[in-house]
């Protein structure tokens, strides 16, 4: 009840709108800073091009810059390919832990209702024993090779 009153008083005082306005302003400023940083990088690349062109000629410099940027693009794609497996395993672990948490929460929510029934303690213990047996089974079974996540590209 106390948190509801606190939430209502925060909304009524306009504090939430002030926080939202501040977050929007911060996002705009970070976006502007990012655009300015990209412009600065573009001018630095242009200056490097001019310097190398004066030294090695425009054709050699263009070929060198083109090859350099293509090499950087390939490097980025290689890093993505190498880390895709780690990301898929992390997502699978997160899904597994989320499903376990949902199962435990559902089981704990059912305990009071099951305890009030005729079966009493036996009705509560049977699902718990089944859950423990399943956990032991999962612990002792070798995991199958992971299929790539449907969201991942081959």
């Amino acid at each position: 009840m106390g948190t509801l009153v606190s939430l209502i008083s925060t909304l009524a005082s306009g504090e939430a709108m002030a926080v939202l306005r501040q977050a929007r302003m911060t996002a705009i400023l970070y976006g502007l800073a990012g655009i300015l940083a990209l412009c600065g990088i573009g001018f630095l690349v242009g200056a490097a091009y001019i310097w190398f062109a004066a030294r090695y000629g425009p054709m050699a410099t263009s070929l060198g810059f083109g090859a350099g940027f293509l090499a950087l693009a390939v490097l980025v794609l290689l890093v993505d390919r190498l880390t895709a497996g780690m990301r898929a395993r992390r997502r699978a672990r997160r899904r597994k832990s989320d499903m376990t948490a949902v199962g435990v929460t559902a089981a704990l929510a059912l305990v009071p209702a099951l305890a009030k029934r005729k079966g009493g303690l036996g009705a509560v213990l049977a699902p718990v024993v089944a859950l423990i047996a399943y956990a032991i089974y999962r612990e002792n079974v070798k995991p199958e090779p992971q299929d790539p996540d449907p969201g991942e590209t081959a």
Side-chain angles (χ1 to χ4, degrees):
M1 183 68 175
T3 57
L4 181 61
V5 171
S6 173
L7 180 63
I8 291 172
S9 67
T10 299
L11 289 174
S13 69
E15 208 172 307
M17 291 304 289
V19 169
L20 189 61
R21 209 172 305 120
Q22 179 66 33
R24 187 178 60 209
M25 182 57 78
T26 301
I28 291 170
L29 289 176
Y30 272 98
L32 183 61
I35 290 170
L36 293 173
L38 286 175
C39 288
I41 289 170
F43 276 103
L44 289 175
V45 168
Y49 178 85
I50 291 169
W51 186 71
F52 279 112
R55 219 165 185 187
Y56 300 108
M59 182 58 79
T61 302
S62 292
L63 291 173
F65 269 62
F69 281 114
L70 286 175
L72 286 174
V74 168
L75 181 66
V76 166
L77 292 176
L78 283 175
V79 168
D80 178 59
R81 277 280 105 213
L82 293 174
T83 59
M86 291 186 325
R87 288 191 311 265
R89 284 190 296 276
R90 190 178 317 126
R91 277 194 304 272
R93 275 195 309 271
R94 192 176 310 127
R95 269 194 309 268
K96 183 180 175 183
S97 69
D98 288 348
M99 291 308 291
T100 302
V102 166
V104 168
T105 303
L108 289 175
L110 288 176
V111 168
L114 291 174
K116 290 179 182 177
R117 285 191 167 174
K118 281 186 177 181
L121 192 57
V124 173
L125 288 180
V128 172
V129 170
L131 186 63
I132 291 171
Y134 179 71
I136 292 170
Y137 168 77
R138 292 287 293 167
E139 186 74 27
N140 292 318
V141 172
K142 283 187 175 183
E144 294 181 19
Q146 293 270 338
D147 288 335
D149 198 21
E152 294 290 322
T153 56

